[in-house]
Amino acid sequence: AVSPTAADLPDASLPAPRVFRLGWIAFSEDAWYHMRVVDDLVRHWPHRLGFDPYALPGGQQVAVAPLFDHLVAATALLVGLGAPDQALVDMVGALVPAVLGAAAVLLVGRLGARLFSPPAGLVAAAVLAVMPGPFLDRALVGFADHHALETTLVLATLVLLAEALAPATAGTLPPGHRAAWAAGLAL
């Protein structure tokens, strides 16, 4: 057997080759746990696993908030027309964090444009898109965990609050209470 050379191995800087393997998806860290909960949720929609018999010796209560798991399961059920196969559920679970990360970048751009100026929003979005650290780790393909959703919802709350508190410009109506209600919903 010939050992692989560096040219044969996937680029370590890109997550997709490490996540999408031949016929299966290699999730990162806590994603395995979330995807097990999502698998159960897809099969028992809309009832989520409340007690996990595989966690710890003897099992334990599922203490993680359910919104992320419901988002992934509902998306898989919608795309799979009510009966998604395992490959589709895994694919949705692998892609949702990256979609949420992209939404967070757009929200930061909107917030920066609203609070400062459009160029400031563009710079803020560009910085967030390439900034190394916990946000980038949690918003990568294959990291099916709730942290990307938390960040996106916090940013949506801030954008909506900025919209609600923005003064009306000449010739426009004030934003009203809709943005404030939406901010409360996002929060």
Side-chain angles (χ1 to χ4, degrees):
V2 177
S3 62
T5 64
D8 298 328
L9 298 174
D11 184 358
S13 65
L14 300 174
R18 288 180 281 134
V19 174
F20 300 109
R21 302 291 178 131
L22 296 175
W24 64 286
I25 294 178
F27 289 105
S28 304
E29 301 177 26
D30 290 347
W32 290 107
Y33 176 76
H34 276 280
M35 289 310 298
R36 194 161 50 76
V37 174
V38 167
D39 289 340
D40 185 76
L41 181 58
V42 165
R43 279 140 191 76
H44 301 102
W45 182 262
H47 306 288
R48 186 172 178 259
L49 187 66
F51 182 80
D52 186 357
Y54 297 112
L56 300 176
Q60 75 177 32
Q61 296 295 325
V62 176
V64 179
L67 187 58
F68 176 80
D69 300 332
H70 276 280
L71 174 67
V72 173
T75 304
L77 284 165
L78 184 66
V79 172
L81 302 174
D85 63 356
Q86 188 63 49
L88 179 61
V89 173
D90 289 346
M91 180 69 71
V92 170
L95 294 176
V96 163
V99 171
L100 291 170
V105 169
L106 295 174
L107 289 167
V108 162
R110 177 70 180 154
L111 186 61
R114 171 56 83 179
L115 296 179
F116 301 105
S117 67
L122 187 61
V123 168
V127 167
L128 182 62
V130 298
M131 182 175 60
F135 173 74
L136 180 61
D137 290 343
R138 277 22 175 226
L140 286 177
V141 169
F143 198 95
D145 202 351
H146 60 278
H147 301 297
L149 180 61
E150 291 170 347
T151 302
T152 303
L153 289 175
V154 166
L155 288 168
T157 301
L158 293 174
V159 167
L160 291 165
L161 283 175
E163 297 287 336
L165 297 173
T169 57
T172 65
L173 297 173
H177 299 287
R178 274 186 250 161
W181 280 98
L185 183 63
L187 183 62

